[in-house]
Amino acid sequence: MGLFLLGFVLLLPFATQAQQEPDGEALLTLSHPGIGQFYVNAVFFKDVAFLPLGEILSLTEIPYEQSENKLGLQGAYPDKKDLWKIDPVSGFIIIKGVSEPLPADYFYLGELDLYLHPDYYKRIFGLEFTVNPYALSMSLKSERALPIEEKKKR
């Protein structure tokens, strides 16, 4: 047990150094007719805004749950057959039931949320974000009606 703990402590700095730190962070205003106006914290790598997955899913009411290791998220969207899973620990992502590698430079594991490259929001959920870093704002277009919009219609 002591040898395992020593090995873990010695390897911990390497695990934490593997993740690249963001170039910047900003609080962006998200305005959307179905969601309203909210502030969303984004991290920037060069000029690309990585957005917090759990926060975006909560705002849109897209259903999700934590993965087994508690660091990833998973669910089914837009239909129950369209399974998705994002596991930053093992480095893979499942989109519509198909597994593929999750490159380390396409996610950032923050203190409170998992931040994803905008390409994955489009591929998995049909969400397209436009970020204006000068106005500290962003807009959202979706391929289909969001669950929060459908809920408001009922």
Side-chain angles (χ1 to χ4, degrees), residues 53-74:
L53 181 60
E55 188 173 351
I56 296 295
L57 295 178
S58 293
L59 287 173
T60 58
E61 295 191 9
I62 293 174
Y64 69 95
E65 60 187 32
Q66 286 186 324
S67 60
E68 301 83 32
N69 62 25
K70 306 288 186 219
L71 295 174
L73 297 177
Q74 61 190 14

Side-chain angles (χ1 to χ4, degrees), residues 113-128:
D113 211 334
L114 171 62
Y115 293 80
L116 272 187
H117 191 283
D119 288 351
Y120 285 118
Y121 286 98
K122 176 81 170 148
R123 290 182 58 202
I124 300 171
F125 309 108
L127 304 177
E128 188 174 346

Side-chain angles (χ1 to χ4, degrees), residues 43-99:
V43 295
F44 286 84
F45 290 92
K46 297 186 179 161
D47 59 346
V48 178
F50 285 50
L51 302 174
L53 181 60
E55 188 173 351
I56 296 295
L57 295 178
S58 293
L59 287 173
T60 58
E61 295 191 9
I62 293 174
Y64 69 95
E65 60 187 32
Q66 286 186 324
S67 60
E68 301 83 32
N69 62 25
K70 306 288 186 219
L71 295 174
L73 297 177
Q74 61 190 14
Y77 184 78
D79 299 316
K80 295 201 184 295
K81 66 179 180 357
D82 294 318
L83 299 176
W84 63 270
K85 181 176 183 178
I86 300 166
D87 189 343
V89 175
S90 60
F92 77 89
I93 188 166
I94 297 174
I95 302 173
K96 297 187 191 288
V98 178
S99 180

